[in-house]
Amino acid sequence: MRKTVLTMVLLTIVTSCKNSKSETPQDQDLLIKNNQVTVPETHPVFKKIKTQVVTEQEHSDGVISAGTIQAIPNHYAEIASPFSGRITKSFIQLGQNISAGSPLFEILSSDYFSVQKDYTDALNDVQLAEKNYRRQQDLVKHGVGIQKELDEAETDFKNKKTSLSNASSALKVYNSKGGGIGSPLLVRAPINGEIISNKIVNGQYLKGDADPVMIIAELSKVWISGDVKEKDIRFVNKGDQVSVKVSAYPDRNITGKVYHINEIVDEDTRSIKVLIECNNPDRKLKPGMYATVNFSTTPEKTVLIPVTALMQQNNSQYVWVKTGKSQYTKRAVTTGETDQKTVRIISGLKSGETIMTEGGIYMLDAK
């Protein structure tokens, strides 16, 4: 009797175990087949999945470019000695504001003496040629002169005036009126501005091909030179307002406008050089500083999804699109601009579809 009861208990336990296993069907596993995943409600991953309906939103991509602040060329002048010679006097100091034509320094130069002599000789020659021409005119007028000699005197006078004009032009190149032979050359400022670099030392000898010894810049306005990618240049137009940030003043809002768009594409970087003009009344923007330029664009409707929804496989990107109660299908997408939270979808999704925004990482190891 006891043996019979024990046998019945064992049979009951075995039967119970078999029934228990049959109550957990294999279709409760997480499966991926033909780019489609099924996530049963009883699977632990099911509770970790979050979804979102795709919608179109008003969005302005903006075009961001790195740039460098520079002085505007016609507001910037590098001053070098036009001749080899010795500096005898300096009239300026570093940081000084000056006007165009202000004296900068004097230099004694034998080369400049030669230019002075050429001018003086040409001036004397013109005076003599003019006297001779006037004398020949008077002789012909009174019937005692020869027309041929008058013509020759006139030609010589014209030639001498041309030589004087050339010698005078040579002096004007150096903003000089000549002075006496042996007088120093007075170098003057070509523009208004501030002395931002000064290497002048009284008594120093300069060579004619030496580097600039002084820099003048008028920095109330500056340029920012940036590069815009070829694909984004359609968003940039001359006169557009832009926002500028510099690391030296992170909390400062700086605005500028597009001054010039280059006509040539850099074949190495596939970008176009763009110049932005900014007001700089307090001179805070220094040539050489790095800047970030944000070109605003016209808002347009586009699909934006959370960055957590975007998955990566090799060189392609995809999302999981909900296609059933517990089913999701892998769909390749083409992306555009992104930030820390969202990414723009150019193609592959449309408004109204539901995508997996969290949990996609668990699909990577599914079989």
Side-chain angles (χ1 to χ4, degrees):
M1 182 65 178
R2 289 180 179 177
K3 186 176 182 180
T4 301
V5 173
L6 181 60
T7 302
M8 292 179 65
V9 171
L10 289 172
L11 287 172
T12 301
I13 293 173
V14 170
T15 302
S16 177
C17 289
K18 288 182 178 180
N19 290 339
S20 176
K21 290 182 179 180
S22 64
E23 288 175 359
T24 307
Q26 294 298 314
D27 61 2
Q28 298 304 300
D29 291 337
L30 185 66
L31 298 175
I32 292 182
K33 185 177 181 180
N34 296 327
N35 290 328
Q36 189 177 77
V37 64
T38 301
V39 187
E41 294 183 9
T42 56
H43 197 283
V45 170
F46 184 84
K47 295 181 179 180
K48 298 179 180 180
I49 292 175
K50 293 184 180 180
T51 61
Q52 177 179 305
V53 177
V54 174
T55 59
E56 286 188 331
Q57 304 174 41
E58 288 284 345
H59 176 67
S60 177
D61 291 326
V63 176
I64 297 177
S65 170
T68 305
I69 297 172
Q70 64 182 47
I72 299 175
N74 58 349
H75 294 177
Y76 180 89
E78 294 183 341
I79 311 300
S81 175
F83 300 108
S84 295
R86 192 170 302 280
I87 293 177
T88 57
K89 190 174 183 180
S90 174
F91 299 94
I92 52 86
Q93 294 179 344
L94 185 65
Q96 181 178 339
N97 288 309
I98 58 173
S99 302
S102 298
L104 300 176
F105 61 89
E106 286 183 344
I107 183 169
L108 281 173
S109 169
S110 59
D111 294 331
Y112 178 58
F113 297 162
S114 297
V115 174
Q116 289 176 311
K117 184 176 184 304
D118 290 342
Y119 173 77
T120 302
D121 291 345
L123 182 60
N124 292 332
D125 289 343
V126 164
Q127 292 172 347
L128 292 174
E130 183 179 12
K131 288 181 179 180
N132 183 47
Y133 175 53
R134 300 304 178 198
R135 186 172 66 86
Q136 293 297 331
Q137 280 183 319
D138 187 63
L139 291 174
V140 170
K141 181 180 179 179
H142 291 86
V144 293
I146 301 174
Q147 184 63 41
K148 180 181 178 182
E149 292 180 353
L150 175 60
D151 293 340
E152 290 176 349
E154 182 181 12
T155 300
D156 183 57
F157 179 44
K158 289 180 179 179
N159 290 338
K160 292 297 192 294
K161 286 198 297 183
T162 299
S163 296
L164 177 61
S165 177
N166 294 337
S168 178
S169 297
L171 287 175
K172 288 179 181 179
V173 169
Y174 310 110
N175 294 319
S176 172
K177 297 180 180 180
I181 297 178
S183 62
L185 169 64
L186 180 59
V187 177
R188 298 178 180 274
I191 62 171
N192 299 330
E194 178 185 339
I195 306 296
I196 64 172
S197 175
N198 180 22
K199 301 177 183 178
I200 291 292
V201 177
N202 285 337
Q204 74 182 116
Y205 184 85
L206 299 178
K207 293 184 178 180
D209 58 353
D211 293 334
V213 293
M214 188 181 303
I215 297 176
I216 305 171
E218 207 293 287
L219 300 175
S220 61
K221 289 185 178 182
V222 293
W223 279 352
I224 299 175
S225 176
D227 296 309
V228 175
K229 292 297 183 182
E230 181 181 3
K231 66 181 181 64
D232 295 327
I233 198 64
R234 69 184 187 276
F235 298 121
V236 181
N237 300 285
K238 186 175 180 179
D240 283 353
Q241 295 292 318
V242 301
S243 61
V244 177
K245 289 288 186 182
V246 292
S247 58
Y249 311 105
D251 298 328
R252 182 173 181 175
N253 294 319
I254 303 169
T255 59
K257 67 177 180 179
V258 177
Y259 178 82
H260 177 72
I261 302 172
N262 207 336
E263 300 295 336
I264 301 174
V265 177
D266 187 310
E267 295 184 2
D268 294 328
T269 62
R270 305 309 305 174
S271 61
I272 295 94
K273 187 73 68 179
V274 176
L275 293 176
I276 297 94
E277 185 175 276
C278 290
N279 289 325
N280 187 32
D282 54 5
R283 311 300 196 272
K284 293 292 187 182
L285 301 180
K286 310 292 187 183
M289 278 183 173
Y290 289 117
T292 301
V293 183
N294 194 326
F295 302 87
S296 60
T297 60
T298 303
E300 58 182 10
K301 285 190 174 183
T302 188
V303 171
L304 294 176
I305 66 171
V307 293
T308 54
L310 188 66
M311 308 299 293
Q312 184 81 30
Q313 184 176 30
N314 298 325
N315 294 324
S316 62
Q317 295 172 309
Y318 66 92
V319 296
W320 289 105
V321 181
K322 190 172 184 178
T323 53
K325 183 178 180 180
S326 299
Q327 290 183 339
Y328 299 87
T329 300
K330 183 188 293 186
R331 174 120 29 106
V333 292
T334 303
T335 60
E337 293 73 16
T338 184
D339 56 30
Q340 294 180 346
K341 295 182 178 180
T342 61
V343 59
R344 179 187 176 194
I345 301 299
I346 297 175
S347 64
L349 282 177
K350 59 183 180 181
S351 181
E353 294 185 299
T354 300
I355 60 171
M356 185 186 301
T357 58
E358 292 186 24
I361 190 172
Y362 300 106
M363 311 298 144
L364 297 177
D365 298 327
K367 303 294 184 181

